[in-house]
């Protein structure tokens, strides 16, 4: 009997994906029985939420479901749904990914990381900060996953060197703190820029779409004002994270003087990693120059109350035709053009052409910084579909205004999605450091619980202080003041939805 039951459980576990898919479509069936437009849209959202939570299907596959569910349930036409998957925000994210891949190709991200780590000394607390700072900075520009994975060899080397100069218990505790510091730094660093993490891109795309539906040019969120708000928030969270991890894992050790042997061992480990990079290469210089140019283009495209270079490209209505995606796609394209090494041509021909009898002379090699094969392999294409699924769902849903500036809740929600510190499955950086074996789930859960609470408090303070000033959140835009419906399903009559909502409110009064 026991063997039969055990076999039954194994069989159920084997087909668990089918069971979860069945539950995902059956559990919210009550929404379909209601028959209203809003209920049909809610059915799609709940079904997808269950599939995302259970991972019965790959998350990217689940994100493609609106393309057939929304048309089949007569929520939106297929043409409208598919049009939401690739837009200005998607291209902004794609360009950011390509620039990040270019940085990885020339290894400049590792040079930056190693340089910062070498300069901050060998004390436990400064060493932790040395791991956090480059991870935090690089996660603004490359994917959080890549920024975390890049630091793992450095983390492992440091942990191995410290093991020889302290007790096993103390080294285990410090290694846990160092591992979590890398993951948490990547999580908080990504929020600082619009391209740093997918939730920011979803916010940007959805906010622009909502504003444009009411006749505005866009939501007013630019790379410059977003960094003005999110960068200080990210910086505050970085140092709060550092202080909290010191309390939990370093305790009084951060005030102790460092053993000279341990100091030399750590320096040696970090220096050996740095030596592997060799001298600064031509490709690194090119990528760094392009990166600086891109940052300047983003910041000075449209400065509040001043304008910027975007004002030089206006349409017939006097609105700028360039966006942040324009700048990043220009720079990303140049990555496929400019060489990774100084070509041996013309006056740069440093090497003589060698010609063997009866053979063609050796020609100068030209290799661009990025090739399409590399882009195909390293760009997270699935994330673009995942973001598109969010855009499609957001466009299909109907929201009722509550007398609050729409960006107030949208910004808070988007940033809260990045403050996930408790579980390995919450974010890729958490999963990566968990895979090292230094950290257990209880370690991450207990430490992350306090981090989540701190993040919510800091976010609440930020959005109600400098966030309110930057985005003028105290004043609801005129386009929303006299509107009951903040958004509607494309292809449906907005007036019908408004009248029905007003009728329901009247009948319930």
């Amino acid at each position: 009997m026991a063997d039969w039951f055990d076999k039954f459980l194994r069989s159920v576990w084997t087909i668990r994906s089918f069971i979860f898919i069945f539950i995902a479509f059956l559990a919210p069936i009550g929404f379909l029985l209601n028959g209203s437009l809003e209920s049909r849209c809610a059915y799609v959202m709940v079904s997808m939420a269950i599939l995302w939570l259970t991972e019965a299907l790959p998350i990217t596959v689940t994100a493609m479901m609106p393309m057939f569910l929304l048309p089949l349930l007569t929520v939106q036409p297929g043409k409208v749904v598919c049009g939401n998957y690739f837009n200005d925000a998607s291209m902004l994210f794609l360009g950011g990914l390509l620039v990040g891949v270019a940085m990885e190709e020339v290894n400049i991200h590792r040079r930056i990381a190693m340089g910062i780590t070498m300069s901050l000394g060998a004390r436990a607390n400064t060493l932790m900060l040395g791991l956090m700072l480059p991870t935090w900075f690089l996660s603004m520009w490359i994917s959080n996953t890549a920024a975390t994975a890049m630091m793992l060899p450095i983390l492992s080397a440091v942990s191995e060197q410290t093991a020889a100069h302290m007790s096993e218990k103390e080294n285990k505790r410090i290694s846990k703190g160092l591992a979590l510091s890398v993951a948490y730094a990547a999580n908080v660093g990504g929020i600082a820029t619009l391209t740093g993490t997918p939730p920011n891109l979803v916010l940007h795309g959805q906010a622009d779409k909502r504003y444009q539906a009411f006749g505005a040019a866009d939501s007013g969120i630019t790379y410059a004002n977003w960094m003005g708000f999110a960068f200080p928030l990210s910086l505050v969270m970085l140092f709060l994270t550092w202080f909290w991890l010191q309390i939990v894992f370093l305790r009084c050790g951060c005030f102790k003087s460092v053993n000279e042997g341990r100091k030399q061992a750590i320096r040696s480990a970090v220096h050996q990693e740095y030596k592997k990079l060799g001298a600064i290469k031509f490709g690194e210089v090119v990528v760094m120059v392009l990166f600086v140019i891109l940052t300047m283009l983003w910041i000075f495209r449209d400065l509040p109350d001043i304008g910027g270079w975007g004002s030089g490209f206006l349409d017939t209505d006097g609105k700028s035709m360039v966006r942040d995606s324009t700048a990043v796609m220009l720079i990303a394209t140049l990555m496929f053009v400019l060489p990774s090494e100084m070509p041996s041509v013309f006056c740069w021909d440093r090497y003589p052409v060698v010609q063997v009898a009866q053979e063609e002379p050796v020609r100068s090699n030209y290799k661009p910084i990025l090739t399409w094969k590399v882009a195909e392999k390293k760009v997270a294409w699935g994330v673009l579909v995942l973001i598109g699924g969010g855009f499609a769902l957001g466009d299909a849903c109907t929201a009722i205004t509550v007398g609050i500036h729409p960006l107030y809740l949208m910004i808070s929600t988007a940033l809260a999605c990045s403050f996930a510190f408790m579980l390995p499955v919450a974010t890729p950086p958490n999963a990566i450091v968990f895979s090292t074996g230094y950290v257990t789930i209880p370690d991450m859960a207990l430490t992350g619980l306090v981090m989540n609470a701190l993040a919510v408090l800091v976010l609440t303070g930020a959005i109600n202080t400098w966030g309110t000033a930057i985005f003028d959140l105290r004043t609801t835009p005129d386009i929303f003041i006299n509107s009951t419906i903040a958004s509607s399903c494309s292809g449906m009559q907005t007036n019908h939805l408004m009248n029905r909502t007003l009728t329901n409110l009247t009948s319930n009064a």
Side-chain angles (χ1 to χ4, degrees):
M1 182 67 179
D3 291 340
W4 176 88
F5 186 68
D6 184 58
K7 183 178 180 180
F8 173 77
L9 290 179
R10 286 201 301 268
S11 299
V12 170
W13 183 251
T14 301
I15 62 169
R16 65 188 182 279
S17 294
F18 293 98
I19 296 173
F20 285 136
I21 292 171
F22 180 76
I23 293 172
F25 286 102
L26 184 63
I29 198 71
F31 289 110
L32 290 183
L33 298 178
N34 181 281
S36 68
L37 178 67
E38 294 87 345
S39 297
R40 296 197 298 274
C41 189
Y43 173 81
V44 177
M45 292 185 65
V46 174
S47 296
M48 291 180 64
I50 294 173
L51 292 173
W52 270 328
L53 288 171
T54 59
E55 296 188 25
L57 291 173
I59 58 175
T60 304
V61 174
T62 302
M64 295 190 295
M65 287 171 52
M67 284 191 270
F68 63 87
L69 283 179
L70 294 176
L72 290 176
L73 295 175
T74 65
V75 176
Q76 273 189 321
K79 182 178 180 180
V80 174
V81 177
C82 293
N84 286 313
Y85 274 78
F86 286 95
N87 52 31
D88 174 66
S90 302
M91 293 301 102
L92 177 60
F93 187 65
L94 174 59
L97 290 177
L98 290 171
V99 172
V101 170
M103 294 179 71
E104 294 177 44
E105 277 297 287
V106 298
N107 252 349
I108 194 172
H109 62 313
R110 287 187 60 81
R111 191 175 297 278
I112 294 172
M114 298 304 303
I116 295 175
T117 305
M118 287 176 61
S119 64
L120 287 177
R123 293 175 63 99
N125 57 344
T126 57
L127 183 61
M128 179 181 285
L129 184 62
L131 292 173
M132 293 178 73
L133 278 175
T135 311
W136 171 75
F137 174 75
L138 291 169
S139 65
M140 300 180 195
W141 316 105
I142 66 176
S143 73
N144 295 355
T145 306
T148 307
M150 170 202 68
M151 297 301 295
L152 286 189
I154 306 171
L155 173 64
S156 299
V158 169
S159 296
E160 290 172 5
Q161 292 297 325
T162 56
H165 299 277
M166 62 179 66
S167 66
E168 181 180 353
K169 182 178 179 181
E170 184 183 7
N171 183 65
K172 186 176 180 181
R173 174 166 48 82
I174 291 178
S175 295
K176 289 179 179 180
L178 296 178
L180 286 177
S181 72
V182 171
Y184 291 173
N187 289 339
V188 301
I191 70 170
T193 63
L194 275 178
T195 55
T197 187
N200 294 1
L201 267 297
V202 173
L203 161 69
H204 188 218
Q206 286 299 109
D208 281 353
K209 184 164 290 189
R210 296 285 71 78
Y211 273 72
Q212 289 164 3
F214 284 84
D218 54 46
S219 62
I221 297 178
T222 66
Y223 218 94
N225 62 18
W226 180 264
M227 283 197 72
F229 165 68
F231 182 84
L233 170 62
S234 177
L235 187 62
V236 170
M237 281 304 305
L238 175 72
F239 283 101
L240 283 177
T241 302
W242 182 43
F243 290 138
W244 173 239
L245 290 177
Q246 287 183 77
I247 292 172
V248 176
F249 296 104
L250 303 187
R251 301 170 189 172
C252 297
C254 56
F255 299 106
K256 294 179 181 178
S257 58
V258 183
N259 177 277
E260 189 62 31
R262 173 181 155 194
K263 183 189 297 185
Q264 292 299 327
I266 293 174
R267 284 179 177 171
S268 175
V270 176
H271 187 67
Q272 287 299 320
E273 289 291 324
Y274 187 80
K275 282 180 65 177
K276 294 178 183 178
L277 298 175
I280 296 178
K281 302 175 182 63
F282 178 78
E284 295 179 62
V285 176
V286 173
V287 171
M288 199 65 210
V289 170
L290 290 177
F291 176 73
V292 171
I293 293 173
L294 174 60
T295 305
M296 294 298 102
L297 290 175
W298 271 338
I299 293 175
F300 294 104
R301 178 180 70 84
D302 185 19
L303 292 173
D305 301 321
I306 298 175
W309 64 269
S311 302
F313 304 89
L314 305 178
D315 60 13
T316 54
D317 296 326
K319 298 178 181 178
S320 178
M321 299 185 70
V322 298
R323 305 278 294 172
D324 289 327
S325 58
T326 310
V328 73
M329 292 309 294
L330 168 63
I331 298 299
T333 302
L334 289 176
M335 299 289 188
F336 289 92
V337 177
L338 297 177
S340 59
E341 297 179 359
M342 181 72 77
S344 300
V345 295
F346 304 120
C347 58
W348 297 288
D349 191 356
R350 297 169 297 170
Y351 308 104
V353 175
V354 179
Q355 185 170 4
V356 183
Q358 306 301 323
E359 293 185 7
E360 292 291 326
V362 178
R363 299 183 181 276
S364 302
N365 291 325
Y366 160 74
K367 181 184 176 183
I369 294 168
L370 271 184
T371 63
W372 190 248
K373 285 186 177 180
V374 171
E376 283 183 326
K377 182 179 179 181
K378 292 192 174 183
V379 170
W381 300 101
V383 178
L384 291 170
V385 179
L386 185 61
I387 293 174
F391 289 148
L393 275 181
D395 189 51
C397 296
T398 300
I400 300 175
T401 61
V402 291
I404 300 176
H405 196 298
L407 291 182
Y408 181 82
L409 298 178
M410 294 178 77
I411 292 174
S412 301
T413 302
L415 291 176
C417 291
S418 296
F419 293 145
F421 303 101
M422 287 186 62
L423 294 173
V425 297
T427 65
N430 291 7
I432 289 173
V433 298
F434 179 74
S435 69
T436 62
Y438 294 129
V439 183
T440 63
I441 290 180
D443 292 329
M444 189 174 289
L446 294 174
T447 309
L449 178 62
V450 176
M451 284 297 305
N452 283 356
L454 286 173
V456 170
L457 290 175
V458 174
L459 174 57
T460 303
I463 196 68
N464 286 289
T465 51
W466 69 85
T468 297
I470 290 173
F471 297 108
D472 194 20
L473 300 181
R474 295 191 186 278
T475 306
T476 303
D478 293 338
I479 57 175
F480 297 112
I481 290 178
N482 297 320
S483 300
T484 302
I485 302 298
S487 64
S488 62
C489 300
S490 302
M492 302 297 175
Q493 294 184 0
T494 305
N495 289 337
H496 171 68
L497 294 175
M498 293 174 66
N499 292 335
R500 187 165 63 187
T501 304
L502 289 172
T503 300
N504 291 337
L505 290 174
T506 305
S507 62
N508 293 331

